[in-house]
Amino acid sequence: MILSCPSCSARFNVKAEALGTNGRTVKCAKCAHKWHAMPEGAPAPAAAATPPPAPPPPPAAETAAPPPPPPPQAPAAEEAPPPPQAPAAEEAPPPPPPPPQPEAEDTPPPPPPPDSAAEIDLDEAPERPPIPPRQRGGQPAPQKGSTLKWWIALVAVIVILSSAAVIWRKAIVVMYAPANKLFMMINLPIDTLGHGLVIHTPETGLSIDGSDRVLTIKGQIENTTGRIVDVPILRASLRDTKGAELQKWTFTAEEPRVLPGERVIYETEARNPAQGATGLDITFTRPEEEMESETK
């Protein structure tokens, strides 16, 4: 239970059983005021009942009554015998002694009630946390911390989606070609030429045809998608040991398109290849790209 000091209005936590049934004197830990505190719901202590007055002692036994006066004597000649005297009253017998009370069994005495004169030092009760204000609809006012968490989560989702779009931008443009304009605006254009087609390493061979040396190149193109893909123009490039391009030409595959999971063969040759060529590259290209490279 909570007690309130009548002097300084300080509030204290006190166990109800510490006050007992008759209350105890308590002392305020803040202003040292003392007062008699009663437990909650306990009635005010009644005045001590006075014992009933003792009955008056029984009257003492009366003494023997005096004998009655003798009657007047008759004028007879003979003298009458004296009347018999009344017996003296006997004393009243004393009251019998009270019967002996049976001895009570040895039982432990009940615990003594708490001493109401002892003082209890009270500790001040902790203050209750303030109740957050409520809006008109009865809902508690939203806290600023929770709103900030939602904004952080939203920004994190946007960053994750943007990163995923950049990483898989080529697949996005293949499925939706107009999306390439958006990537061009952020200077990340996508080249979808030959997407899903894999050019396997070709086999090469060198032969002599009269006075010409003939370099023969033969390989396969595999479709790794689940749809039919058109085969673009192929570009062959011979390079030296430093990676510089020495010779290039274009050619086409045997089939203009390849079915899902299928392969098509490509084959080309170069007469009198450039001296010092040690590397070969086979890539896809566009006719306009080749025209631009020739004009430069």
Side-chain angles (χ1 to χ4, degrees):
M1 61 180 292
I2 296 179
L3 297 181
S4 178
C5 178
S7 176
C8 64
S9 301
R11 298 166 61 87
F12 304 94
N13 286 325
V14 178
K15 293 184 179 181
E17 55 268 20
L19 298 178
T21 57
N22 298 327
R24 296 182 69 177
T25 301
V26 294
K27 179 181 178 181
C28 178
K30 192 171 184 180
C31 66
H33 178 70
K34 299 180 182 180
W35 74 97
H36 189 81
M38 294 293 295
E40 293 181 354
T50 58
E62 296 181 356
T63 57
Q73 296 181 3
E78 295 181 359
E79 200 175 62
Q85 295 181 356
E90 298 179 357
E91 294 183 359
Q101 298 292 335
E103 296 183 358
E105 297 181 358
D106 294 337
T107 57
D115 187 5
S116 60
E119 294 182 0
I120 300 178
D121 292 333
L122 302 179
D123 294 329
E124 191 170 358
E127 297 182 359
R128 297 182 179 179
I131 301 175
R134 292 184 175 271
Q135 298 178 346
R136 294 181 179 179
Q139 298 295 334
Q143 299 180 358
K144 295 182 179 180
S146 59
T147 306
L148 180 61
K149 291 179 181 179
W150 283 110
W151 279 109
I152 295 175
L154 179 60
V155 172
V157 171
I158 294 175
V159 171
I160 293 173
L161 293 179
S162 301
S163 303
V166 172
I167 295 173
W168 292 295
R169 61 185 183 277
K170 192 170 185 178
I172 294 174
V173 172
V174 169
M175 293 184 293
Y176 185 67
N180 196 23
K181 296 181 179 180
L182 178 62
F183 292 109
M184 292 176 65
M185 293 175 60
I186 60 176
N187 200 21
L188 291 173
I190 304 302
D191 184 10
T192 58
L193 184 65
H195 178 72
L197 298 179
V198 177
I199 301 175
H200 292 279
T201 304
E203 297 177 357
T204 59
L206 186 63
S207 60
I208 304 296
D209 185 8
S211 60
D212 296 336
R213 294 180 296 110
V214 180
L215 175 63
T216 304
I217 303 170
K218 185 177 181 180
Q220 294 181 346
I221 300 174
E222 182 182 3
N223 182 4
T224 60
T225 67
R227 55 186 177 85
I228 299 176
V229 180
D230 294 333
V231 180
I233 297 174
L234 294 166
R235 182 178 186 273
S237 175
L238 297 177
R239 300 180 181 276
D240 59 10
T241 55
K242 296 182 179 181
E245 189 175 67
L246 302 177
Q247 185 179 354
K248 65 177 182 177
W249 69 95
T250 60
F251 62 98
T252 58
E254 293 183 356
E255 299 292 337
R257 59 183 54 185
V258 57
L259 299 176
E262 298 292 334
R263 296 187 180 189
V264 295
I265 297 175
Y266 66 89
E267 186 174 1
T268 186
E269 64 179 22
R271 286 186 173 270
N272 299 320
Q275 296 290 335
T278 58
L280 172 65
D281 290 337
I282 304 295
T283 58
F284 295 115
T285 186
R286 295 185 178 92
E288 56 269 22
E289 293 178 358
E290 294 301 317
M291 292 178 62
E292 291 178 0
S293 62
E294 289 177 0
T295 56
K296 291 182 181 180

